[in-house]
Each structure stands twice: as C-alpha cells, then as structure tokens.
Amino acid sequence: MDLDLLRELSVPGDTKILLLVIDGLGGLPNESGRSELEQADIPRLDRLAQESICGMTVPVAAGVTPGSGPGHLALFGYDPVRYTVGRGVLEALGIDFDLQPTDVAARGNFCTVDAQGRITDRRAGRIPTEESSKLCDLLRRIELPGVQLFVEPVRDHRFLLVLRGENLSDQLTETDPQREGKEPLPVRALAPEAEETARLLNAFVGRAREVLAGRDRANMLTLRGLAKHPPMPSIVETCKFRAGAIAAYPMYRGLAKLVGMEVIATGATFADEVETLKANWDKHDFFFIHFKKADAAGEDGDFQAKMRALEEVDTYIEELHAMQADVFMVAGDHSTPAVVAGHSWHPVPFLFHARNYMPADGTEGFNEKTCARGTLGIFPAKDVLSLAMAYAGRLTKYGA
Amino acid sequence: MDLDLLRELSVPGDTKILLLVIDGLGGLPNESGRSELEQADIPRLDRLAQESICGMTVPVAAGVTPGSGPGHLALFGYDPVRYTVGRGVLEALGIDFDLQPTDVAARGNFCTVDAQGRITDRRAGRIPTEESSKLCDLLRRIELPGVQLFVEPVRDHRFLLVLRGENLSDQLTETDPQREGKEPLPVRALAPEAEETARLLNAFVGRAREVLAGRDRANMLTLRGLAKHPPMPSIVETCKFRAGAIAAYPMYRGLAKLVGMEVIATGATFADEVETLKANWDKHDFFFIHFKKADAAGEDGDFQAKMRALEEVDTYIEELHAMQADVFMVAGDHSTPAVVAGHSWHPVPFLFHARNYMPADGTEGFNEKTCARGTLGIFPAKDVLSLAMAYAGRLTKYGA
C-alpha cells in the first residue's frame, strides 16, 4: 500500500505486531533436489505454517536481487525503488555511526597508486582492518574550513568518511575510476548547490594524498556512494505505532532507525534478542526482530550451515509465538541460496499468523514450494506491513 | 520492472535467452470442458513444463484484451499502457513499410459516399485488395508541397498513407465519423505544431475526393490512427544484449524493430524460422521467435485447427530446447480462445526454463489450469524480460 494511504487509514491501538526477519531466508535446491528449508528440521515453523496463511514476497521486482537496504525497507512498507539509501549512508549505519540529516557520508576505499598516481590496486591488497584503523587516525587530523570531519574504519580496506556542516549536498560523482591503470577522478558537483561540498571533498582527497604518500600500499583513497540520510516519512507517524527494533548487527539497527523505529539495546546473539523482546514487550506495539545467521551461511555457500541456522531460529518459534502478538510474521529480506553463495532474485517464503479473522490455509510445511502455493500468493514485500496492520485492527475503512 | 531500473542493473554477458511467442496461445474449454491446450497432444511441452517453472502472464491488466502490439511489447519488457503504438504505425509495420521516425502514418479506409458526401458504407463493401491496389496507384499520383507521399494497399478496403517530411506532427484528429449518414470529418490539429500537417492531410483528402469521384463504391476515404513512430527506449540499450527477431509475418518483425531488435531474414514457415534460429545462434544473445498459426486458428473460431497448430509447434520444442539457451521461455502475447473467435483478456500460460538456479515446480502438463497453479503465479507479462535476465545472470544487485 502507498504510504500516504496508510497514513490516512491507520489508527492507534493496543494490538501488537511482531515481525521476525530471517535474513536471506529463501533458498534453492542443492543436488538432492530440495532446498535448505525443505531439508532442515524445522518442526515448529512447519507446524505454524499449517496454522497460518503463507505466500511468497517479492522484495523489489521480478528478477531483482536486493541488497539488505531495499530488502528491509520493503518489509517496513517502503517502495524500495522510490526510497533509496546511498552506499555511504549504509556504511555509516553498518558501524552504528550516528548520522545526522545534514551529514554527507561516503564509502572510502584505501587503494594503491604508482608514481604517476595511477591505481595499481583498487583495494590496496585488502589491508587488514588494524592497518586501516591507523590510517584513519592519520586522516582524521585533516582540517577543512567550516566542516567537521569523521573518518572511521569499517573493515579491511574500507572506511567511512562523513562531512558535517551547513548546506552540504550529495549531488556528487564518485572518485573511483572503476579500473586499475587510471588515476582517481575528482569529485564533481552534479548541481550548483553541490559545488562547495565537491571543493571540500577534493581538498580532503588532496591532503589525504600527502598524508598517505610514501607508503608501499594504501597510499591513496577513493570515495564512493556519496550520500545524505534520505528524506523518509517516519513509520511511527505513518502507522501510528510505537515501533521497536531489536537487532544484534548495526546495519539493521541503522535501517530501522532510518525509518523512525526506536532501537532497543540488545546483546550479540539471537537468544539475547529474544530476551530483549520479552523484557520490552509492554513498551512497543510493533517489533522488528532480526536473525542474521541464515544469510551469512548462504553468502558463504554453506548449505549445511544454512540448514543449521534455520534449525536454530526454529527453536525460538514457540517462544515468539507464545508472546501472543496479534500478528506474528516470519519473513525474509531476500533469498540467499547456498548454491548461489549470495543474495538472489527469488521470491521469499512468508508466514503470516493473526489471532483474529485469519483463514489458515493449511500450508504443509514452511518452504519455497509450499509457500508459493499458499493463499497469500506471490506479492510485493512492501504490502506486508499494511496486511499486518489490517489484521491487527489498525486500519479503518477506505471510503464510504 | 521499470525500464530505467532495468537499464541501471543490466550488464552485458555471453548467456543466451530464447523467447518463443506462440501467438494467441491461451484458450478456453469448448463443450467438452477442456481447452485447446488440454485436448491437444503436446507431449514435449507437457514434459518441459514439468522440468520448468510455470505461471500465467497478464498481458496488459486484469480484463484487458490486447491487440498484437501491446501483447508483444509487454513480453519485450515495455509497459503497454505507457508505450503505445498508433494504428497507423501498426498498419505500416504490418506490410513491412520502412517507417522513419519523422513520418506520419495513417490507416486509410476506402468508403462509399452519396451525392451529398454522406457515408453510406464505411468499408466500401469491403472491396477486394486488387481493387484497392488500383485506387492506391491513383492516389499515389497526388502531389503535396514539401512532403513525400506513400499510399500502399493493405487488405480489402484498407490502405496505408504515409507523409514524409520535416516537422510533421501526429497531434491530429481522425476523419472517420464512426457512423454512416455523416460526412467524413476534416483533420483537426490538436496542437499548434500540427496545423501544417492537418492542412496537408486535408489537401490530400480533397484531391482524393476528386480522383475517386464518379465511382459507384469506394468513391471516398477516411483516415484513422494518425501516428508517428513512438519514441521508445531501445531494448538493446536497456538490456545490453544483441537482440535478434525471427518472424515470418511482417507485423511481428515490425514490432521487434520498433524496440530496437535486429530483424533476421527468414522464410515463410515456422520450420524456416527454426532453421534461421540455428544458423544465427552465435550472432545474438536474445532471440524472439514467433509462431503465428495458433492465433489465426483461434481467430477463425476453429478449435480443431488451433489444437493442430499447438501440436505443430510442440514438434519443435525439443529442437528449440536442445539449443541450450540459458533461459528458454514459451509465452503467448494474449489468449485467442477458439470459442471466442478473437483475442481475449484471459491470462496466458507461461513456461520458464533456466539452466541455473531454477527450482522446477513439477507443473503437470502445459495448459491454463496447471500454469495457473505454477510457482511463478499470475503476473504481469512485462516482468517476463527482467525475470529472464536475472536467470541469465544479466542483472546486478540493487542497492547495498
């Protein structure tokens, strides 16, 4: 549903919605002919599917493989083609950096250049985070007039650069020439209001070149995905609920914060997250809780590990169901089939359980094949939220 | 998927996509209770369906009966409501006329008028093509200042009129009053820049009236669907593939050309088309191959002939499948049920086979009922292309 319509129809209430996102949930058959979900021993999910209505969500559009950003935004009700999050912002979210609406963030890469300034290695041999960290300390000393500068290590050769000041713009080009043998490009303004920001960034790059010079590797840097916190309607205003997010990984906390959810402090494991959920059950009426391991195993191409991850989350299903949310959903932000060893475009199994007015479709088990034949059909992930709100009694009638 | 997004995500590659369009593929049960596809003996399509994923395509929108233009444009990835092709242009495509971007084309009808100039027969008794052809020869002699004129017979009372010149516009009204007892209307400009084109066309109609006067029938003409070649993004640029089209019938070649495909010369039969495909397999990475007979039989209301047409195309399926395209699709531009004896709005069976990452859904046979339960669901035909590109490894990830 369109967010404007959702805002028009939504009403406050005391019902509760629980959204469990199993990252990278969807999979594909391996040589045995059955997928991770089909082979995993997940009796609780299988049983709940039978008492629920099931379907398949399409995160972005037919054939589109989503990153984590669009995959989650869709489940939060946002059209992921209309609302985009720049790479610089995602990088900031990923390390829990407290990005302000006026900041401009960039994903930085340390790279290696030759005597002529031409890039010989775009990733500087993937230098260890520890080495990057020291280089960030050096770069942080650079001073630019009128703006505050943040340089934070991320991982390996990657770091985060943030400019904080007045009237900064992100209408800027990247400096990575995308191939070796070329010099880094200057930042160019794509709009007149970005001229000053481009000038500041080029000054930073010039100073950085001096600071890093003389090193064998990582003697230069590139800047990509220059972006500001995108203007986004708050899910709290749109849906009139108190939304709480529980996620052990920073990027998912960041995405939740981006749409206006309150991030609830939690521990490093899913068990911690579940305890956090219980402890905060009375404080919110919408909860997003995130399970990461399935995606990580899928990314690694480890079919068995992905099965185990699914089996692990299955052991929490009764506990989560026992919270008696008015609506309890098990969803994925995208598929990460182990046979692909990465995100994929395949629709994602979806389980929907409501306490009231839910015509259970008796789906036989929770997997790609059964959910594809569920009575919710194959539908856009961005419709998940409005469906939940309807079943939670949080949407009024449209029209007379 | 939106074409802008497709352009952003598509990458070149050496994988191959084969799209077989069975014109008018979908059907309806006759008195026996089973459709053409259900009654036809199509063992190869049935078997392939079981090893594929199936669904139903909606060519334009629920309830919309598409012409050949929108039906094909959707399968080529174009939203058929946004990208429209005027009747004059379709008429030109249908006779292989080499329409230029600046031309204005119109569908002409010979009609019969009485002494007062009022239309007594809008189709001039459907005069034979031979007679039309001679009248076109006469009209071709008309000269207009500053523009070149083409008048080509199409079929029966129908002909094609094309004006070629500078600064022509198609913002024009039609001259057919749509009922008998009325005089043909003048062409009117719908925008200031169309005034001159309207003047030229009215001059042509005036001269034609003189040329045709004195005949018992077909002594006047009307002009409909005045249109220019619509501005369309090229599928080659959007998808970054070398697209080749193989079709025995001119209109389908024309539609392919309209979206930027290269038309490959072929013979008059589907056997010729298949040979052409084989001979050109290395030259392209996307192929559209067109089978006409199913639609023609459906239009004739000939249930048995439509079954035979489906059985004929079935005999080529193994040969086409053996080409080992990375993605092989069997689709229809619309349904043409014999019981309707015309195009219809019913969704169209769709079969999708990919060499990689395809979770075959074991669809039992290829027909309307089985495909409606396939795991692709019922989905817009314009999503077919992006789905194919994903499975062919030709789309990058969306968002970080």
Side-chain angles (χ1 to χ4, degrees), chain B residues 161-181:
Chain B
L161 171 71
V162 173
L163 290 196
R164 179 165 296 167
E166 299 296 314
N167 304 317
L168 298 175
S169 165
D170 63 357
Q171 297 300 299
L172 303 163
T173 61
E174 308 188 336
T175 77
D176 185 348
Q178 293 289 340
R179 50 187 173 127
E180 280 144 18

Side-chain angles (χ1 to χ4, degrees), chain B residues 86-89 102-107 144 147 161-164 166-176 178 185-205 223-229:
Chain B
R87 185 174 288 269
V89 172
T102 53
D103 293 351
V104 168
R107 168 169 167 174
L144 294 175
V147 290
L161 171 71
V162 173
L163 290 196
R164 179 165 296 167
E166 299 296 314
N167 304 317
L168 298 175
S169 165
D170 63 357
Q171 297 300 299
L172 303 163
T173 61
E174 308 188 336
T175 77
D176 185 348
Q178 293 289 340
L185 306 166
V187 176
R188 281 187 302 106
L190 296 170
E193 68 270 23
E195 295 287 357
E196 174 62 11
T197 316
R199 209 186 54 70
L200 287 164
L201 285 164
N202 286 322
F204 169 78
V205 174
L223 299 177
R224 298 167 65 184
L226 296 132
K228 292 173 90 162
H229 188 303

Side-chain angles (χ1 to χ4, degrees), chain B residues 272-291:
Chain B
D272 293 334
E273 292 188 19
V274 172
E275 286 313 309
T276 303
L277 177 74
K278 289 182 184 172
N280 289 273
W281 189 249
D282 292 336
K283 296 188 193 137
H284 299 272
D285 48 5
F286 175 93
F287 290 94
F288 152 56
I289 182 168
H290 184 261
F291 179 83

Side-chain angles (χ1 to χ4, degrees), chain A residues 86-165:
Chain A
R87 187 172 288 267
V89 172
L90 270 182
E91 210 76 353
L93 299 178
I95 59 165
D96 246 347
F97 184 89
D98 188 25
L99 201 68
Q100 301 300 306
T102 53
D103 293 350
V104 168
R107 168 172 167 172
N109 276 12
F110 289 110
C111 62
T112 304
V113 296
D114 63 17
Q116 284 72 42
R118 292 175 303 214
I119 295 178
T120 55
D121 185 342
R122 287 176 59 227
R123 296 182 182 84
R126 291 189 188 275
I127 52 168
T129 311
E130 205 170 75
E131 190 175 338
S132 274
S133 197
K134 286 177 191 153
L135 297 180
C136 288
D137 290 341
L138 294 176
L139 296 178
R140 212 173 281 133
R141 294 183 205 153
I142 295 174
E143 288 184 9
L144 293 175
V147 290
Q148 225 186 322
L149 200 71
F150 299 87
V151 187
E152 302 294 337
V154 174
R155 192 174 156 168
D156 301 339
H157 59 290
R158 286 159 45 198
F159 65 93
L160 169 72
L161 171 72
V162 173
L163 291 196
R164 180 165 296 168

Side-chain angles (χ1 to χ4, degrees), chain B residues 216-349:
Chain B
D216 287 344
R217 61 177 187 181
N219 57 0
M220 187 49 183
L221 56 80
T222 58
L223 299 177
R224 298 167 65 184
L226 296 132
K228 292 173 90 162
H229 188 303
M232 280 207 181
S234 160
I235 197 172
V236 173
E237 281 169 41
T238 307
C239 299
K240 304 179 185 72
F241 50 40
R242 298 157 299 157
I246 305 172
Y249 279 66
M251 186 193 286
Y252 309 99
R253 289 196 293 267
L255 283 164
K257 206 165 72 176
L258 204 60
V259 299
M261 292 188 201
E262 183 185 323
V263 172
I264 309 172
T266 190
T269 68
F270 191 65
D272 293 334
E273 292 188 19
V274 172
E275 286 313 309
T276 303
L277 177 74
K278 289 182 184 172
N280 289 273
W281 189 249
D282 292 336
K283 296 188 193 137
H284 299 272
D285 48 5
F286 175 93
F287 290 94
F288 152 56
I289 182 168
H290 184 261
F291 179 83
K292 175 69 182 169
K293 277 187 192 166
D295 179 60
E299 291 260 16
D300 291 344
D302 190 335
F303 200 97
Q304 296 300 322
K306 181 152 178 208
M307 280 173 56
R308 283 194 303 274
L310 296 168
E311 287 167 356
E312 180 185 332
V313 72
D314 184 72
T315 64
Y316 293 95
I317 293 298
E318 280 173 345
E319 219 169 330
L320 293 173
H321 189 34
M323 300 303 292
Q324 299 207 22
D326 295 273
V327 171
F328 175 32
M329 298 177 281
V330 181
D333 54 342
H334 51 73
S335 293
T336 310
V339 299
V340 173
H343 296 192
S344 81
W345 59 91
H346 301 83
V348 188

Side-chain angles (χ1 to χ4, degrees), chain A residues 28-29 60 62-70 80-81 84 87 90 339-340 343 345-346 369 372-373 378, chain B residues 1 5 9 356-361 363 373-377 383 386-387 390-391 395-400:
Chain A
L28 280 174
V60 178
V64 174
T65 297
S68 297
V81 176
T84 54
R87 187 172 288 267
L90 270 182
V339 297
V340 174
H343 295 192
W345 59 90
H346 299 84
K369 289 205 185 73
R373 299 201 160 92
I378 300 164
Chain B
M1 195 194 305
L5 185 56
L9 300 182
N356 293 313
Y357 306 138
M358 180 201 63
D361 60 13
T363 297
R373 298 198 165 91
T375 54
L376 283 174
D383 285 348
S386 49
L387 201 65
Y391 277 93
L395 293 181
T396 53
K397 190 156 76 171
Y398 174 68

